[in-house]
Amino acid sequence: LTSTYYRGAQGIIFVYDVTRRDSFEALESVWMKEVAMYSNVPGAVSMVVANKVDLAHAREVQPSDGHELAQRHGCLFAETSAKADLAVAQAFEELLLKVLDSPSLLQSSSDPDSLQLGAQPSSSNANAA
């Protein structure tokens, strides 16, 4: 089941809670290893997202830690607060724009029934709706 969850992923978001150092450390020790093991899209775009930045008083992970982790693994980096609606949409937009700017990812899916980014719907699919 786990391998199917990652199959075909063209964009990957690793999120940690800035108020919990253990969630940050699990990105590298657990989640990045799992993605490396099961992801089957070469050149998939990855992003490290620091969440809950609105809780500055309880922060355990500094921005520089997140930046360093992202750089070490070739990932984009963003700081967000889902609760305060701070930079969440921008993080998704940045990831999507990077995927769309990677021609190899636009043609990466081997499943003819899957969504092809940048593809126009065929007339047979348009009539099926």
Side-chain angles (χ1 to χ4, degrees):
L1 181 63
T2 301
S3 63
T4 60
Y5 184 74
Y6 299 106
R7 190 177 311 139
Q10 297 167 322
I12 301 159
I13 300 176
F14 298 102
V15 181
Y16 67 92
D17 176 347
V18 299
T19 68
R20 293 185 45 223
R21 183 100 191 155
D22 62 321
S23 73
F24 173 75
E25 292 170 353
L27 290 187
E28 197 165 33
S29 65
V30 177
W31 299 110
M32 288 181 170
K33 287 181 180 180
E34 190 167 295
V35 166
M37 188 181 323
Y38 295 114
S39 177
N40 66 345
V41 178
V45 179
S46 298
M47 173 180 270
V48 172
V49 175
N51 192 37
K52 297 190 180 180
V53 298
D54 57 303
L55 301 176
H57 63 282
R59 189 172 194 134
E60 293 181 3
V61 183
Q62 298 306 311
S64 58
D65 297 330
H67 277 288
E68 181 183 313
L69 176 71
Q71 278 188 324
R72 198 166 55 245
H73 291 277
C75 299
L76 302 169
F77 179 73
E79 290 212 319
T80 67
S81 169
K83 183 178 181 180
D85 193 22
L86 175 68
V88 175
Q90 292 90 334
F92 279 98
E93 288 172 16
E94 183 178 354
L95 181 75
L96 179 59
L97 289 173
K98 186 70 172 174
V99 169
L100 291 173
D101 195 38
S102 303
S104 64
L105 294 177
L106 296 177
Q107 303 300 324
S108 67
S109 177
S110 60
D111 181 357
D113 294 324
S114 69
L115 174 66
Q116 296 288 317
L117 293 175
Q120 297 298 317
S122 68
S123 59
S124 63
N125 289 344
N127 294 333

Tab-separated table of all heavy atoms in Angstrom, residues 22-62:
chain	number	residue	atom	x	y	z
A	22	ASP	N	11.027	17.020	17.075
A	22	ASP	CA	10.964	15.627	16.615
A	22	ASP	C	10.298	15.508	15.245
A	22	ASP	O	10.679	14.654	14.442
A	22	ASP	CB	10.260	14.731	17.642
A	22	ASP	CG	8.812	15.117	17.896
A	22	ASP	OD1	8.506	16.330	17.945
A	22	ASP	OD2	7.974	14.208	18.057
A	23	SER	N	9.328	16.370	14.952
A	23	SER	CA	8.688	16.303	13.630
A	23	SER	C	9.664	16.736	12.545
A	23	SER	O	9.653	16.203	11.445
A	23	SER	CB	7.403	17.142	13.585
A	23	SER	OG	7.675	18.517	13.565
A	24	PHE	N	10.524	17.706	12.862
A	24	PHE	CA	11.563	18.155	11.927
A	24	PHE	C	12.575	17.034	11.679
A	24	PHE	O	12.922	16.732	10.542
A	24	PHE	CB	12.257	19.400	12.489
A	24	PHE	CG	13.436	19.846	11.695
A	24	PHE	CD1	13.273	20.503	10.485
A	24	PHE	CD2	14.733	19.628	12.151
A	24	PHE	CE1	14.361	20.933	9.742
A	24	PHE	CE2	15.825	20.054	11.422
A	24	PHE	CZ	15.641	20.704	10.219
A	25	GLU	N	13.032	16.402	12.753
A	25	GLU	CA	14.033	15.345	12.629
A	25	GLU	C	13.484	14.125	11.883
A	25	GLU	O	14.221	13.430	11.181
A	25	GLU	CB	14.564	14.969	14.008
A	25	GLU	CG	15.386	16.098	14.610
A	25	GLU	CD	15.742	15.903	16.072
A	25	GLU	OE1	15.244	14.936	16.703
A	25	GLU	OE2	16.504	16.739	16.596
A	26	ALA	N	12.183	13.873	12.005
A	26	ALA	CA	11.568	12.729	11.313
A	26	ALA	C	11.554	12.915	9.796
A	26	ALA	O	11.511	11.925	9.057
A	26	ALA	CB	10.149	12.501	11.828
A	27	LEU	N	11.598	14.152	9.322
A	27	LEU	CA	11.626	14.356	7.866
A	27	LEU	C	12.788	13.602	7.249
A	27	LEU	O	12.621	12.873	6.276
A	27	LEU	CB	11.740	15.840	7.511
A	27	LEU	CG	10.549	16.735	7.775
A	27	LEU	CD1	10.817	18.120	7.201
A	27	LEU	CD2	9.277	16.166	7.199
A	28	GLU	N	13.965	13.803	7.807
A	28	GLU	CA	15.170	13.187	7.237
A	28	GLU	C	15.294	11.710	7.621
A	28	GLU	O	15.657	10.882	6.793
A	28	GLU	CB	16.406	13.961	7.686
A	28	GLU	CG	17.622	13.685	6.878
A	28	GLU	CD	18.707	14.719	7.111
A	28	GLU	OE1	18.835	15.254	8.226
A	28	GLU	OE2	19.435	14.999	6.155
A	29	SER	N	14.980	11.386	8.864
A	29	SER	CA	15.192	10.013	9.332
A	29	SER	C	14.114	9.035	8.862
A	29	SER	O	14.370	7.834	8.781
A	29	SER	CB	15.286	9.981	10.860
A	29	SER	OG	14.060	10.353	11.452
A	30	VAL	N	12.914	9.535	8.542
A	30	VAL	CA	11.822	8.647	8.149
A	30	VAL	C	11.277	8.990	6.768
A	30	VAL	O	11.357	8.201	5.829
A	30	VAL	CB	10.667	8.692	9.179
A	30	VAL	CG1	9.505	7.823	8.724
A	30	VAL	CG2	11.146	8.290	10.564
A	31	TRP	N	10.683	10.178	6.634
A	31	TRP	CA	9.890	10.497	5.444
A	31	TRP	C	10.706	10.628	4.173
A	31	TRP	O	10.296	10.135	3.119
A	31	TRP	CB	9.046	11.752	5.696
A	31	TRP	CG	8.104	11.517	6.832
A	31	TRP	CD1	8.163	12.073	8.077
A	31	TRP	CD2	6.999	10.619	6.843
A	31	TRP	NE1	7.149	11.572	8.857
A	31	TRP	CE2	6.419	10.681	8.122
A	31	TRP	CE3	6.444	9.771	5.894
A	31	TRP	CZ2	5.305	9.937	8.471
A	31	TRP	CZ3	5.324	9.017	6.246
A	31	TRP	CH2	4.773	9.109	7.523
A	32	MET	N	11.855	11.276	4.232
A	32	MET	CA	12.675	11.413	3.018
A	32	MET	C	13.217	10.057	2.571
A	32	MET	O	13.317	9.788	1.373
A	32	MET	CB	13.792	12.427	3.229
A	32	MET	CG	13.271	13.839	3.293
A	32	MET	SD	14.600	15.038	3.511
A	32	MET	CE	13.707	16.560	3.242
A	33	LYS	N	13.523	9.201	3.520
A	33	LYS	CA	13.989	7.849	3.178
A	33	LYS	C	12.873	7.049	2.523
A	33	LYS	O	13.096	6.314	1.565
A	33	LYS	CB	14.500	7.128	4.424
A	33	LYS	CG	15.825	7.639	4.915
A	33	LYS	CD	16.290	6.877	6.133
A	33	LYS	CE	17.628	7.412	6.603
A	33	LYS	NZ	18.115	6.695	7.798
A	34	GLU	N	11.658	7.190	3.055
A	34	GLU	CA	10.524	6.464	2.487
A	34	GLU	C	10.229	6.924	1.062
A	34	GLU	O	9.994	6.108	0.172
A	34	GLU	CB	9.287	6.649	3.375
A	34	GLU	CG	8.159	5.750	2.977
A	34	GLU	CD	7.071	5.685	4.022
A	34	GLU	OE1	7.339	5.190	5.131
A	34	GLU	OE2	5.962	6.137	3.701
A	35	VAL	N	10.263	8.225	0.845
A	35	VAL	CA	10.033	8.748	-0.503
A	35	VAL	C	11.123	8.252	-1.455
A	35	VAL	O	10.843	7.847	-2.574
A	35	VAL	CB	9.941	10.289	-0.500
A	35	VAL	CG1	10.036	10.853	-1.904
A	35	VAL	CG2	8.648	10.734	0.166
A	36	ALA	N	12.378	8.279	-0.999
A	36	ALA	CA	13.477	7.799	-1.839
A	36	ALA	C	13.289	6.330	-2.209
A	36	ALA	O	13.609	5.913	-3.325
A	36	ALA	CB	14.809	7.999	-1.123
A	37	MET	N	12.728	5.566	-1.295
A	37	MET	CA	12.530	4.136	-1.532
A	37	MET	C	11.370	3.865	-2.490
A	37	MET	O	11.464	2.992	-3.339
A	37	MET	CB	12.258	3.421	-0.201
A	37	MET	CG	12.236	1.923	-0.311
A	37	MET	SD	11.886	1.045	1.261
A	37	MET	CE	12.712	2.027	2.488
A	38	TYR	N	10.282	4.614	-2.384
A	38	TYR	CA	9.068	4.272	-3.125
A	38	TYR	C	8.720	5.187	-4.293
A	38	TYR	O	7.918	4.818	-5.142
A	38	TYR	CB	7.869	4.233	-2.174
A	38	TYR	CG	7.970	3.132	-1.147
A	38	TYR	CD1	8.097	3.437	0.197
A	38	TYR	CD2	7.947	1.799	-1.527
A	38	TYR	CE1	8.190	2.427	1.145
A	38	TYR	CE2	8.042	0.788	-0.585
A	38	TYR	CZ	8.163	1.114	0.748
A	38	TYR	OH	8.262	0.121	1.680
A	39	SER	N	9.272	6.381	-4.339
A	39	SER	CA	8.944	7.303	-5.427
A	39	SER	C	9.500	6.760	-6.735
A	39	SER	O	10.609	6.243	-6.788
A	39	SER	CB	9.535	8.684	-5.146
A	39	SER	OG	9.279	9.554	-6.224
A	40	ASN	N	8.728	6.887	-7.814
A	40	ASN	CA	9.180	6.346	-9.101
A	40	ASN	C	9.226	7.417	-10.195
A	40	ASN	O	9.243	7.090	-11.367
A	40	ASN	CB	8.287	5.181	-9.525
A	40	ASN	CG	6.856	5.610	-9.830
A	40	ASN	OD1	6.430	6.704	-9.476
A	40	ASN	ND2	6.114	4.737	-10.489
A	41	VAL	N	9.246	8.690	-9.796
A	41	VAL	CA	9.322	9.768	-10.773
A	41	VAL	C	10.668	10.478	-10.614
A	41	VAL	O	10.860	11.240	-9.665
A	41	VAL	CB	8.167	10.779	-10.600
A	41	VAL	CG1	8.295	11.922	-11.588
A	41	VAL	CG2	6.822	10.084	-10.772
A	42	PRO	N	11.599	10.219	-11.531
A	42	PRO	CA	12.888	10.908	-11.459
A	42	PRO	C	12.692	12.416	-11.605
A	42	PRO	O	11.918	12.870	-12.436
A	42	PRO	CB	13.679	10.349	-12.644
A	42	PRO	CG	12.948	9.122	-13.070
A	42	PRO	CD	11.520	9.308	-12.664
A	43	GLY	N	13.355	13.161	-10.777
A	43	GLY	CA	13.282	14.613	-10.869
A	43	GLY	C	12.033	15.223	-10.259
A	43	GLY	O	11.749	16.398	-10.490
A	44	ALA	N	11.280	14.442	-9.470
A	44	ALA	CA	10.095	14.997	-8.801
A	44	ALA	C	10.526	16.186	-7.954
A	44	ALA	O	11.608	16.199	-7.373
A	44	ALA	CB	9.423	13.939	-7.932
A	45	VAL	N	9.695	17.198	-7.902
A	45	VAL	CA	9.998	18.417	-7.160
A	45	VAL	C	9.600	18.219	-5.699
A	45	VAL	O	8.477	17.802	-5.406
A	45	VAL	CB	9.250	19.624	-7.754
A	45	VAL	CG1	9.546	20.885	-6.970
A	45	VAL	CG2	9.615	19.802	-9.222
A	46	SER	N	10.527	18.511	-4.807
A	46	SER	CA	10.271	18.374	-3.378
A	46	SER	C	10.353	19.723	-2.687
A	46	SER	O	11.141	20.587	-3.082
A	46	SER	CB	11.283	17.428	-2.730
A	46	SER	OG	11.171	16.138	-3.275
A	47	MET	N	9.551	19.869	-1.633
A	47	MET	CA	9.538	21.101	-0.857
A	47	MET	C	9.475	20.745	0.627
A	47	MET	O	8.712	19.873	1.025
A	47	MET	CB	8.326	21.958	-1.229
A	47	MET	CG	8.146	23.185	-0.362
A	47	MET	SD	6.707	24.172	-0.852
A	47	MET	CE	7.490	25.264	-2.033
A	48	VAL	N	10.274	21.439	1.417
A	48	VAL	CA	10.214	21.337	2.868
A	48	VAL	C	9.394	22.529	3.342
A	48	VAL	O	9.680	23.673	2.973
A	48	VAL	CB	11.631	21.355	3.494
A	48	VAL	CG1	11.552	21.455	5.009
A	48	VAL	CG2	12.420	20.119	3.073
A	49	VAL	N	8.363	22.251	4.150
A	49	VAL	CA	7.482	23.304	4.642
A	49	VAL	C	7.500	23.316	6.168
A	49	VAL	O	7.184	22.307	6.807
A	49	VAL	CB	6.037	23.113	4.141
A	49	VAL	CG1	5.100	24.141	4.757
A	49	VAL	CG2	5.988	23.206	2.622
A	50	ALA	N	7.868	24.468	6.716
A	50	ALA	CA	7.812	24.691	8.159
A	50	ALA	C	6.437	25.267	8.468
A	50	ALA	O	6.081	26.325	7.957
A	50	ALA	CB	8.907	25.668	8.568
A	51	ASN	N	5.667	24.568	9.276
A	51	ASN	CA	4.308	25.027	9.592
A	51	ASN	C	4.228	25.488	11.048
A	51	ASN	O	5.077	25.154	11.861
A	51	ASN	CB	3.293	23.915	9.328
A	51	ASN	CG	1.869	24.431	9.363
A	51	ASN	OD1	1.578	25.543	8.914
A	51	ASN	ND2	0.962	23.636	9.893
A	52	LYS	N	3.189	26.240	11.344
A	52	LYS	CA	2.896	26.810	12.660
A	52	LYS	C	3.844	27.946	13.027
A	52	LYS	O	4.170	28.151	14.193
A	52	LYS	CB	2.890	25.739	13.753
A	52	LYS	CG	1.817	24.689	13.575
A	52	LYS	CD	1.705	23.809	14.806
A	52	LYS	CE	0.628	22.760	14.607
A	52	LYS	NZ	0.511	21.902	15.793
A	53	VAL	N	4.286	28.712	12.037
A	53	VAL	CA	5.187	29.835	12.330
A	53	VAL	C	4.501	30.944	13.118
A	53	VAL	O	5.170	31.831	13.646
A	53	VAL	CB	5.863	30.397	11.054
A	53	VAL	CG1	6.721	29.327	10.397
A	53	VAL	CG2	4.843	30.952	10.087
A	54	ASP	N	3.165	30.884	13.230
A	54	ASP	CA	2.444	31.843	14.063
A	54	ASP	C	2.713	31.625	15.552
A	54	ASP	O	2.463	32.504	16.364
A	54	ASP	CB	0.938	31.756	13.793
A	54	ASP	CG	0.384	30.360	14.030
A	54	ASP	OD1	0.896	29.411	13.398
A	54	ASP	OD2	-0.558	30.219	14.836
A	55	LEU	N	3.267	30.470	15.915
A	55	LEU	CA	3.565	30.154	17.312
A	55	LEU	C	5.037	30.412	17.633
A	55	LEU	O	5.749	29.552	18.145
A	55	LEU	CB	3.198	28.694	17.611
A	55	LEU	CG	1.731	28.323	17.375
A	55	LEU	CD1	1.504	26.839	17.599
A	55	LEU	CD2	0.815	29.153	18.270
A	56	ALA	N	5.479	31.622	17.353
A	56	ALA	CA	6.891	31.993	17.512
A	56	ALA	C	7.397	31.758	18.943
A	56	ALA	O	8.548	31.364	19.141
A	56	ALA	CB	7.100	33.443	17.109
A	57	HIS	N	6.558	31.978	19.933
A	57	HIS	CA	6.951	31.814	21.333
A	57	HIS	C	7.282	30.357	21.693
A	57	HIS	O	8.024	30.108	22.633
A	57	HIS	CB	5.846	32.331	22.263
A	57	HIS	CG	4.564	31.558	22.134
A	57	HIS	ND1	3.695	31.755	21.077
A	57	HIS	CD2	4.033	30.569	22.900
A	57	HIS	CE1	2.663	30.925	21.216
A	57	HIS	NE2	2.843	30.201	22.301
A	58	ALA	N	6.761	29.411	20.931
A	58	ALA	CA	6.977	27.987	21.211
A	58	ALA	C	7.902	27.327	20.197
A	58	ALA	O	8.062	26.102	20.197
A	58	ALA	CB	5.630	27.265	21.232
A	59	ARG	N	8.530	28.120	19.361
A	59	ARG	CA	9.344	27.596	18.260
A	59	ARG	C	10.556	26.821	18.776
A	59	ARG	O	11.297	27.303	19.615
A	59	ARG	CB	9.794	28.755	17.369
A	59	ARG	CG	10.441	28.294	16.102
A	59	ARG	CD	10.693	29.471	15.149
A	59	ARG	NE	11.005	28.923	13.865
A	59	ARG	CZ	10.515	29.324	12.721
A	59	ARG	NH1	9.687	30.338	12.679
A	59	ARG	NH2	10.846	28.752	11.598
A	60	GLU	N	10.736	25.601	18.224
A	60	GLU	CA	11.890	24.760	18.550
A	60	GLU	C	12.821	24.581	17.355
A	60	GLU	O	13.944	24.116	17.519
A	60	GLU	CB	11.436	23.377	19.038
A	60	GLU	CG	10.709	23.399	20.361
A	60	GLU	CD	10.305	22.003	20.826
A	60	GLU	OE1	10.645	20.997	20.155
A	60	GLU	OE2	9.646	21.922	21.875
A	61	VAL	N	12.346	24.896	16.150
A	61	VAL	CA	13.137	24.730	14.927
A	61	VAL	C	13.274	26.100	14.272
A	61	VAL	O	12.276	26.741	13.942
A	61	VAL	CB	12.476	23.738	13.949
A	61	VAL	CG1	13.355	23.529	12.724
A	61	VAL	CG2	12.177	22.404	14.636
A	62	GLN	N	14.489	26.545	14.109
A	62	GLN	CA	14.765	27.858	13.526
A	62	GLN	C	14.676	27.810	11.997
A	62	GLN	O	14.904	26.765	11.393
A	62	GLN	CB	16.155	28.351	13.953
A	62	GLN	CG	16.278	28.547	15.454
A	62	GLN	CD	15.191	29.460	16.000
A	62	GLN	OE1	14.932	30.545	15.480
A	62	GLN	NE2	14.510	28.999	17.049
